[in-house]
Structures are given as C-alpha cells and as structure tokens.
Amino acid sequence: MILFDLDGTLVDSAPDLGGAANAMLRARGLPELPLSVFRPHGGSGARGMVGTAFGVTAAHPEFEALKAEWFSHYEPRLLQETRLFAEVEAMLDALAGKALRIGIVTNKAERYAHPVCDGLGLTPRASVIIGGDTTPHRKPHPAPLLEAARRAGIDPAQCVYVGDDERDMMAGRAAGMRTIAVAWGYLGTGKPIGEWPADAIIESPLQLLMALA
C-alpha cells in the first residue's frame, strides 16, 4: 500500500494557503506577500502561513486569534486555486493499474482534508484518509500512519509513505514503513532533502513507479 501526504505531495494548495494569509494582510492595509514566500511553509498549514505573514510563533499571545482568523479566510477558498500537481493523476492511474492500494495521511484537519480530497477526485481512489485530528497525534508521530495501516488491514511493513517534509520521513520510519521524499514539494526550511531519513528521493510523480520497482 502506498500512503501519501496531501499538501505539497499530491496537491499544490500553496496559492490558497497563502491567499488566506494575504487576505488578512489586505484587511490591515498591509502589502501582500508573493506566493514564493509562502510556498516553503505550505506544509505547516496555519502555523506556517500566520508565521510568515506576521512574524509570530505559536508562543505569541496573539497567535491563536490570528490562526482562527486565518482559518476563517482559508475554509471558503479550499479549492479556489488548489490543484493536483502535474503527473499526479497519471501516477495514481499507474498505481491502480498495478493493483496497488493508496491512502492519504495528512496533518490537515479532517474538516479541510476531506473536502479537498472530494473536490480533486482523490476520495474514490483512497482506501483510507487520515487527517491531523484523526488520532491524538500528528506527524512526525507515527500514530496517523499506523492508524492508516490498521484501517486498511495491512502490515505497516508492507506500506510505503511518500511526502514532502522531513516530518513525513520521520513518521514513516517510526511506523516501520519505507519512505520516499518528493523534491517537487514545499520541503520546509529545515534540513536539505538529501539529509532527511528517506529511502529514496524522486523528482517527479511518475518517478515513483521506478522507485517502487
């Protein structure tokens, strides 16, 4: 079974994630930021967008209010500009042709993850969809990945986890799964992708087929 992260791996949601933050800046009469500034932080969701726009961390006294405001802008635009990355649909078709099941494990809360998966046609393809609030833990904890395997009725050792963040690789390793990092994703601002605990790195979605061979 191939398990995928969502944002930055299967879907390019950065335009809507950053768009919600820019809406907050506009409301304050502040200049908007270019998408290129938001993109590396796409995997961090509200924390990344609020932090990038306003320079605050989760410890800041105004952070929770800013985060709630960000979600109020993001929820109405979940699918305004969010799209599958190029080659993702062809990759998923190829996996289905090889009778490989797929699942999605994301830190995005279920109330946002499911509409995105529904709107982009991912839900019918996925045997399981695990959100950031499905279990008491989020990646890099292995619990969401282990829950995906449990629901699918498959040994975690028979799973591969594919993602665009070091936390994805850490979670996959901790769950006893093979890990594959995707170089087209958001990648974060920490260690370079070559230093992540990944078993392989791929440059495009269709390369996954070769990496699995």
Side-chain angles (χ1 to χ4, degrees):
M1 185 175 188
I2 316 302
L3 297 171
F4 293 93
D5 173 50
L6 185 61
D7 300 82
T9 300
L10 294 177
V11 307
D12 185 7
S13 53
D16 284 326
L17 295 168
N22 271 332
M24 295 172 67
L25 292 172
R26 283 197 306 273
R28 290 163 170 78
L30 299 172
E32 296 183 27
L33 298 175
L35 176 59
S36 59
V37 174
F38 289 112
R39 185 172 288 278
H41 305 279
S44 297
R47 176 170 52 85
M49 297 301 101
V50 169
T52 301
F54 297 100
V56 299
T57 68
H60 193 280
E62 296 181 20
F63 176 79
E64 289 302 321
L66 289 169
K67 183 174 76 169
E69 183 182 345
W70 180 84
F71 276 117
S72 75
H73 286 285
Y74 178 56
E75 188 164 15
R77 61 177 298 153
L78 285 173
L79 291 163
Q80 187 169 310
E81 297 180 79
T82 295
R83 300 290 184 268
L84 296 177
F85 280 109
E87 295 188 2
V88 163
E89 190 164 9
M91 172 193 69
L92 296 176
D93 286 342
L95 293 175
K98 293 180 177 293
L100 288 169
R101 298 165 66 193
I102 77 158
I104 295 170
V105 182
T106 173
N107 274 354
K108 205 181 200 77
E110 286 191 12
R111 66 180 291 184
Y112 309 112
H114 284 290
V116 169
C117 290
D118 291 347
L120 296 179
L122 294 172
T123 300
R125 295 178 178 270
S127 297
V128 60
I129 298 174
I130 302 295
D133 52 355
T134 304
T135 74
H137 303 283
R138 293 157 54 92
K139 298 174 297 181
H141 198 284
L145 293 174
L146 294 173
E147 177 64 11
R150 187 193 70 79
R151 292 190 183 190
I154 189 167
D155 185 338
Q158 299 301 311
C159 296
V160 177
Y161 191 48
V162 183
D164 73 313
D165 194 284
E166 184 182 13
R167 292 169 299 174
D168 297 327
M169 304 301 101
M170 294 167 64
R173 279 288 177 90
M177 299 179 182
R178 185 180 173 198
T179 56
I180 297 179
V182 304
W184 66 83
Y186 300 146
L187 306 185
T189 57
K191 295 179 185 175
I193 190 171
E195 296 180 16
W196 298 357
D199 294 303
I201 299 172
I202 57 176
E203 299 290 335
S204 69
L206 287 175
Q207 286 186 5
L208 178 61
L209 283 301
M210 293 181 284
L212 295 174

